[in-house]
Amino acid sequence: MQSKLLSGQRRHGQVSQIIMEAYRFSNWHGTHSCTPERYYEPASIEEIKQVLAKARSERTRVKVCGYGHSPNDITCTDGYMINLKKMNAVLNIDEEKRQITVQAGCSIKSLDVDILPEYDMALPVVPCVGEPTIAGAIATGTHATGKQYGTLGSYVIGAKILTAGGEIVACTRERNQDVLRAASCSLGCLGVITEVTIQCDPAFQIHSVVKPSTFDEIMGRVDSFPDEHDHSKFFWWPHTENVIVFNDNRTSGEPVRNDFSWFWVVLMGYHFQQFCMWIGHVLPFLRPLINLFLFKVLINHTVDRVDTSYNIFTYPAMYSQWINEWAIPIEKTKEVLCEIKSRIEASAGLYANFPLEVRFVKGDDGMLSPSHGRDSCFISIITFRPYNRGGINRKFWDLFEDIVKKAEGRPHWAKNHTAGASHLRSVYPEWSKFCAVREKLDPEGLFLNDHLERIFGDKKGSKKDS
């Protein structure tokens, strides 16, 4: 359906605000889409206020979208959709304290590649995909790996939120602390975050050594594994004993070593692997053999690299995918992983996709951060969609969620989980406090949608998304 442009020039200033009807929003993965009643790209806070005022008058809900990389439907709406891509400016840089204030639409890539290096600074953690906006990444509890490093939101020391009523609420670690702790993983339901201040680190490189191992070898030292390197993680190929380990350490001043091979990265790593995954999609019983084959052909060797943190931590999201990721208490890592492996082996007709990813994150005080109050192990199962085909591997996902829920697991907010209010209330000590902050900032549920209603078990009176 073709979008219809409704208006162009702003009343004040030189930047146009795009307003469209019949705009079709789809997330990057192509797994969820929606047609909002109206789509806006405001260039100022005043323009956002106008959108919110109109939404209130028409009792229409509002959602803010970013890059759209979340594989679930957390940003979908049939009300009004706001994209903050035009609000991406740097507002302040404190070089002495290594702090930066940016508008919400600034991307992680712009920050860590174009802006911060000029001041010899870097983001403390960088997720595997750099295109999302800083506000979107914070809102969903985005993280990297490293037991001494928290979620991206844990490095937010200040923010400004435009509430449903059109009021700007400023919060810091000294002022409106509860609002900041809620905003550090807001799920997009507190208001429109217009700017954030982030505590950065001195610029650093990563010396990365990636090498094969086995499931039993890693389980034998999994309790100490997160402490062995600055940023440790591993992938396991289900139906095999094969594991690939990432041992990443911070460094500086080393010559860059990060060779690119078109044959291995593009031809084999993308096209050949995608074809093999498609075969596994069409003939699921072949997945165990495909998992083993691809590991032996593409993964079973050591790679030693040195580069900037961004170039090491990020990699292209080559395929559309379904992802289900949960955070469990770090001390339950071995117990949970061994149960997953044993139940896969004992389940006739269950053919698990590769890979299963394991990362580690420091605990923080964000009210709805998956790492709230505890160091966490994040376990992610991924179903790739070769040639944009394929649904959720429901039998595998149900088994996985059954295990992680029993281990007091908390879902990654941007991923394809099935958790509802009952389970979430039981695993988040400050669930009620977050809901109280949300009710105060958005008493009419202007920023809710179907996805968030399932999470909070809450319905409001808006005519849209109801």
Side-chain angles (χ1 to χ4, degrees):
M1 184 181 296
Q2 188 172 5
S3 300
K4 179 182 177 183
L5 186 63
L6 295 181
S7 68
Q9 193 69 25
R10 289 172 53 199
R11 291 183 180 178
H12 306 287
Q14 300 300 314
V15 181
S16 296
Q17 176 183 186
I18 297 175
I19 307 173
M20 287 183 280
E21 286 183 340
Y23 174 82
R24 188 69 175 170
F25 169 82
S26 176
N27 65 2
W28 181 89
H29 302 270
T31 53
H32 292 280
S33 61
C34 64
T35 304
E37 181 179 337
R38 287 193 175 187
Y39 170 85
Y40 297 86
E41 290 180 5
S44 70
I45 290 176
E46 287 304 313
E47 288 179 356
I48 302 175
K49 286 183 177 180
Q50 292 171 17
V51 176
L52 298 184
K54 185 173 180 61
R56 289 195 306 271
S57 69
E58 297 188 0
R59 299 181 69 242
T60 297
R61 288 185 172 171
V62 178
K63 290 308 298 176
V64 179
C65 72
Y67 178 69
H69 200 269
S70 298
N72 65 17
D73 59 345
I74 194 169
T75 57
C76 286
T77 184
D78 59 0
Y80 290 174
M81 179 172 282
I82 297 174
N83 190 315
L84 297 179
K85 62 171 65 178
K86 290 186 177 179
M87 298 182 65
N88 59 6
V90 177
L91 302 177
N92 185 62
I93 296 177
D94 187 326
E95 294 185 64
E96 183 177 353
K97 294 182 179 179
R98 297 195 181 96
Q99 297 170 357
I100 186 169
T101 302
V102 295
Q103 290 182 310
C106 185
S107 73
I108 293 172
K109 182 176 182 180
S110 293
L111 263 176
D112 217 42
V113 175
D114 302 324
I115 299 168
L116 291 175
E118 290 189 32
Y119 303 93
D120 197 30
M121 294 173 3
L123 292 174
V125 294
V126 179
C128 59
V129 178
E131 284 79 5
T133 62
I134 191 69
I138 290 166
T140 51
T142 297
H143 63 94
T145 191
K147 188 181 175 183
Q148 301 305 316
Y149 301 92
T151 63
L152 189 57
S154 67
Y155 298 96
V156 174
I157 60 173
K160 288 186 179 178
I161 305 171
L162 184 58
T163 69
E167 175 191 4
I168 295 178
V169 176
C171 52
T172 67
R173 291 181 177 175
E174 293 77 35
R175 178 187 177 194
N176 291 326
Q177 294 175 337
D178 281 352
V179 176
L180 181 66
R181 293 199 301 116
S184 67
C185 187
S186 71
L187 281 63
C189 66
L190 302 182
V192 181
I193 295 177
T194 60
E195 67 179 66
V196 293
T197 301
I198 304 166
Q199 180 62 57
C200 300
D201 279 354
F204 59 96
Q205 293 176 304
I206 290 292
H207 184 177
S208 174
V209 179
V210 182
K211 59 184 180 180
S213 185
T214 66
F215 187 89
D216 286 345
E217 194 275 330
I218 293 298
M219 290 302 100
R221 59 186 178 95
V222 73
D223 291 339
S224 63
F225 178 81
D227 298 306
E228 293 173 4
H229 301 275
D230 294 332
H231 305 274
S232 299
K233 65 179 180 181
F234 61 89
F235 291 74
W236 169 55
W237 268 246
H239 303 292
T240 80
E241 297 299 317
N242 297 317
V243 168
I244 193 75
V245 177
F246 293 73
N247 298 326
D248 296 345
N249 290 300
R250 297 190 175 205
T251 186
S252 61
E254 292 192 41
V256 171
R257 301 194 308 275
N258 196 359
D259 295 334
F260 173 84
S261 167
W262 182 90
F263 177 83
W264 286 109
V265 175
V266 179
L267 181 61
M268 298 295 291
Y270 178 74
H271 293 291
F272 177 71
Q273 181 169 245
Q274 182 169 218
F275 176 72
C276 292
M277 290 190 296
W278 177 77
I279 293 175
H281 166 64
V282 176
L283 303 171
F285 66 90
L286 291 179
R287 286 176 190 158
L289 289 176
I290 291 171
N291 292 359
L292 179 64
F293 174 72
L294 287 178
F295 184 91
K296 295 297 184 183
V297 172
L298 300 178
I299 308 297
N300 196 27
H301 59 279
T302 297
V303 178
D304 191 319
R305 300 186 296 160
V306 176
D307 209 331
T308 64
S309 56
Y310 183 88
N311 287 342
I312 293 292
F313 288 145
T314 63
Y315 46 83
M318 296 186 292
Y319 316 113
S320 170
Q321 53 201 256
W322 300 97
I323 312 173
N324 198 353
E325 182 174 20
W326 288 65
I328 61 170
I330 197 168
E331 62 272 14
K332 295 187 178 183
T333 301
K334 182 176 182 178
E335 168 192 340
V336 167
L337 290 173
C338 288
E339 183 176 356
I340 292 172
K341 186 173 186 289
S342 65
R343 286 183 59 178
I344 288 174
E345 292 171 348
S347 299
L350 191 158
Y351 303 111
N353 308 82
F354 75 91
L356 183 146
E357 182 179 19
V358 181
R359 293 181 283 181
F360 304 92
V361 177
K362 182 181 179 180
D364 60 52
D365 65 354
M367 291 181 185
L368 291 193
S369 165
S371 291
H372 173 87
R374 68 192 193 193
D375 293 343
S376 299
C377 169
F378 280 75
I379 304 175
S380 174
I381 61 173
I382 302 167
T383 300
F384 290 114
R385 301 178 66 240
Y387 309 113
N388 293 322
R389 298 174 182 233
I392 290 172
N393 186 343
R394 181 55 62 190
K395 191 171 184 179
F396 183 28
W397 286 37
D398 289 346
L399 177 151
F400 174 69
E401 286 201 347
D402 177 62
I403 295 171
V404 293
K405 282 180 178 178
K406 290 188 300 184
E408 302 175 83
R410 300 166 180 165
H412 190 307
W413 297 115
K415 307 298 173 64
N416 305 103
H417 64 90
T418 64
S422 177
H423 174 78
L424 295 168
R425 192 178 296 112
S426 72
V427 294
Y428 279 100
E430 294 194 288
W431 182 261
S432 296
K433 183 176 284 189
F434 179 92
C435 290
V437 173
R438 180 175 68 84
E439 288 282 344
K440 181 179 180 180
L441 299 182
D442 184 19
E444 299 300 320
L446 188 75
F447 297 104
L448 292 178
N449 61 2
D450 290 345
H451 180 95
L452 294 174
E453 283 180 347
R454 171 173 65 82
I455 286 173
F456 291 109
D458 184 11
K459 288 184 178 288
K460 297 290 183 178
S462 170
K463 70 178 182 180
K464 298 295 181 183
D465 286 314
S466 60

